[in-house]
Amino acid sequence: MGDHDDLRKFITDLAVVHGRVVLSSGREADWYVDLRRVTLHHAAAPLVGRTMLDLTSDWDFEAVGGLTLGADPIAISMLHVASARQRRLDAFVVRKAGKTHGLQRRIEGPEVSGRRVLAVEDTSTTGSSVLTAVEALQEAGAVVVGVAVIVDRGAGDAVRAAGLPYRAAYTLADLGLVA
C-alpha cells in the first residue's frame, strides 16, 4: 500500500465517527469526520504531508496554510515533508479575526504578500472556512493558487465558483460514507 491508501485507512479507522452531529456549516449529519484525530497523530501526520504535497505537486506555491485550527497541522506536516524532500515551503496560520494587540496580524508566520500560496483545510462541506482564509490571504496581498482539502464533503463547487482550482485527497465515496 502507498501513502494515499495508508492515510485512507487512518481516516476510516480513527476519524470517522458515527452518530448525529451538527457540522460547522449548520447542517446535520449521521457521521462526522474528525480529521484532527489523524492530522495530529504521530504516524498519520507524515502521511498527510506526503499525500497533500503529492496531490498538489503540479501547483507552484511557496507557502501553505489556512484558517486555524483545521489547516494548521496540515500546513505543518506539508512543511516538514517538503523540507525532507529538499523543497522550500513555508507555513502560515490565518486567524478567524485580527488581533487587537501586539502586531495585530491576521496571518501569522512568514509574510505572504506577493507570494504564491496554497490554502488548505481538513474537511469542507460548504467551503466557507477555507474561503474566509482565501479572502484574508488576498487582502494581505497573497496570490492564492488553489485550495486543497483532505476530505471533500461538497465544497468543490463553491470554491470553484470563487474562481479557484480545488482538489481533495478523498471524497466521501472513497471513505465508504455514501452509496
Side-chain angles (χ1 to χ4, degrees), residues 52-163:
M52 296 302 282
L53 281 173
D54 292 348
L55 178 70
T56 58
S57 64
D58 61 327
W59 288 354
D60 177 28
F61 56 94
E62 307 165 76
V64 60
L67 198 63
T68 197
L69 172 75
D72 301 347
I74 300 166
I76 298 304
S77 292
M78 291 176 71
L79 173 146
H80 285 289
V81 170
S83 178
R85 292 179 176 178
Q86 307 301 309
R87 176 182 172 190
R88 291 180 180 214
L89 181 66
D90 289 327
F92 57 84
V93 173
V94 179
R95 293 176 178 276
K96 293 180 182 178
K99 283 174 52 177
T100 58
H101 60 283
L103 298 178
Q104 301 178 352
R105 293 181 59 161
R106 178 134 187 237
I107 301 172
E108 298 289 355
E111 186 61 49
V112 297
S113 180
R115 297 179 78 194
R116 296 175 61 82
V117 303
L118 173 67
V120 294
E121 184 63 79
D122 52 5
T123 185
S124 191
T125 303
T126 65
S128 64
S129 291
V130 76
L131 289 174
T132 295
V134 165
E135 183 179 328
L137 288 162
Q138 290 171 334
E139 287 174 5
V143 176
V144 181
V145 301
V147 170
V149 300
I150 298 174
V151 176
D152 176 43
R153 286 188 67 124
D157 289 342
V159 173
R160 285 187 285 275

Side-chain angles (χ1 to χ4, degrees), residues 6-17 37-38 175:
D6 291 345
L7 182 56
R8 179 186 5 245
K9 182 156 178 40
F10 272 107
I11 292 169
T12 57
D13 290 353
L14 301 178
V16 177
V17 180
R37 294 179 181 196
V38 172
L175 303 177

Side-chain angles (χ1 to χ4, degrees), residues 10-32:
F10 272 107
I11 292 169
T12 57
D13 290 353
L14 301 178
V16 177
V17 180
H18 293 277
R20 200 82 172 137
V21 293
V22 177
L23 305 172
S24 63
S25 64
R27 296 181 187 174
E28 289 189 2
D30 292 325
W31 45 266
Y32 181 69

